[in-house]
Amino acid sequence: MYQRIRMLVRLLTCFLILTGVAVQRNGSIFGHDLNAPEVEATNDSSPLTRVDGAVVVNTSSIAKDIRGFGGSVPLEITIKDGAIANIEPLKNSETEDFFKRASSAIIPQWLGTSVNDVSAKHVDAVSGATLSSNALNATIQEGVAYANGFMQESDKESVPDFEFTWKFAVVLLVVVCAALLPLFVKNKYYRFSQLALNVVVLGFWSGTFLSYELFINYIANGVNVWQSLAVLLMLVTAFVYPYFGKSSHYCTWLCPLGSIQELCGKSVRYKLKLSSKAVKGLNVFQECLWFALIFIMMAGIWFDWIDYELFKAFIFKSASIGVLIAAAVVVLLSFVVQRPYCRFVCPTGCLFKITQNPDK
């Protein structure tokens, strides 16, 4: 019981630290903008304006509850001659590269669409930027519906900011299997299959994993529960399972980067011999790195390091060259060193270790 209390204290401490980082970086907490002045509504604050025979809709207020990965995705939608003439993204908290990729693919498909066809139209999400894509689609539909007067006040919460798809179902199924089956099934063939699914489905296909960017965005902007079911279950395995004796369950059974390292390691019998002194030194390095990265974020010096976590390599079309090269080095090294990134570098994994180990 005493150990569990210490673990809980550590978890709450880390949560408060990340909350401070989220406020420092985004200026908001759970979707509430701490820097926004309270302004009284006026007749001039309408999201609808008319310009040169066109209707311009600003979705900042009417679609504020529709969230992507980092928060709402306000748009300025121009409707002319009964069709969408232009869509201009406004300032948002989405990851710039992923949002640019999603918007450049999504927005052109809506241009020219008749306002009467908008509610029934379906535009596929961009792989690797699903949350931003879904938020863009839902925001466009709500903005046009508002302009047409089709949306009733009581129906606002039913806007399709969540859509059940086969991709969502497959990702959720893989996460559920990894979260539950290892508690009952002890089989090397199942383990190999689960690791492979993690890499293919959670990694390359959907880009579903835990990272500092995700933690900070959730704290800053809140969570859409239905849209984030798979990720929320991952969070349970990472932060709740340890209280029931299942430490490192996420890292061992769910993390796609950990999975690909283990699969590579299993394919080669030879392993480099690391002395206990070297292992201890590398563990100290990981902890020092973690404290340094947290400190610089708390100080507001450099938030962009979270864009260089190697998980981003799975979304290779949006990942930087540096991340791709570093990820390739880690994969090659994992053939002869057991999970090198997980054990000696990963800042996200270090957070899990700190919250799970009351003796550190």
Side-chain angles (χ1 to χ4, degrees), residues 16-198:
L16 290 175
I17 290 173
L18 291 178
T19 300
V21 170
V23 171
Q24 180 82 286
R25 180 185 184 227
N26 294 59
S28 62
I29 181 169
F30 299 119
H32 178 68
D33 190 347
L34 301 179
N35 300 319
E38 295 294 331
V39 204
E40 292 185 7
T42 67
N43 292 333
D44 298 328
S45 62
S46 171
L48 275 178
T49 56
R50 295 183 180 276
V51 181
D52 297 330
V55 174
V56 180
V57 189
N58 185 316
T59 69
S60 297
S61 60
I62 62 177
K64 63 183 179 180
D65 294 328
I66 298 176
R67 299 192 175 279
F69 183 76
S72 60
V73 289
L75 304 170
E76 193 171 79
I77 305 170
T78 302
I79 301 171
K80 190 169 185 178
D81 298 328
I84 298 176
N86 188 47
I87 299 175
E88 188 71 29
L90 303 177
K91 184 178 179 181
N92 58 69
S93 298
E94 298 293 277
T95 302
E96 184 177 353
D97 289 342
F98 295 153
F99 182 75
K100 184 177 180 180
R101 183 178 165 209
S103 59
S104 62
I106 296 290
I107 290 177
Q109 297 186 62
W110 287 99
L111 298 181
T113 303
S114 167
V115 293
N116 296 322
D117 298 331
V118 165
S119 61
K121 183 168 180 172
H122 175 79
V123 175
D124 290 332
V126 176
S127 179
T130 305
L131 299 183
S132 296
S133 300
N134 289 341
L136 280 167
N137 288 328
T139 300
I140 291 168
Q141 289 178 317
E142 182 161 358
V144 174
Y146 184 92
N148 277 332
F150 293 151
M151 188 175 68
Q152 300 297 320
E153 187 69 24
S154 60
D155 292 334
K156 282 187 178 179
E157 294 184 0
S158 65
V159 175
D161 57 339
F162 165 74
E163 181 180 1
F164 185 88
T165 63
W166 282 110
K167 185 173 185 178
F168 174 86
V170 171
V171 170
L172 183 60
L173 178 61
V174 171
V175 173
V176 169
C177 288
L180 298 180
L181 290 184
L183 304 178
F184 310 101
V185 178
K186 309 296 180 184
N187 183 287
K188 64 179 182 179
Y189 299 108
Y190 161 65
R191 178 160 180 78
F192 177 85
S193 301
Q194 184 66 58
L195 295 178
L197 286 171
N198 293 344

Side-chain angles (χ1 to χ4, degrees), residues 214-234:
L214 180 136
F215 300 149
I216 293 170
N217 280 328
Y218 275 12
I219 293 173
N221 302 297
V223 185
N224 182 308
V225 175
W226 290 109
Q227 190 170 267
S228 306
L229 272 180
V231 175
L232 291 176
L233 184 53
M234 286 180 165

Side-chain angles (χ1 to χ4, degrees), residues 234-249:
M234 286 180 165
L235 289 170
V236 170
T237 64
F239 294 111
V240 178
Y241 273 33
Y243 289 89
F244 299 94
K246 299 297 180 183
S247 297
S248 303
H249 189 95

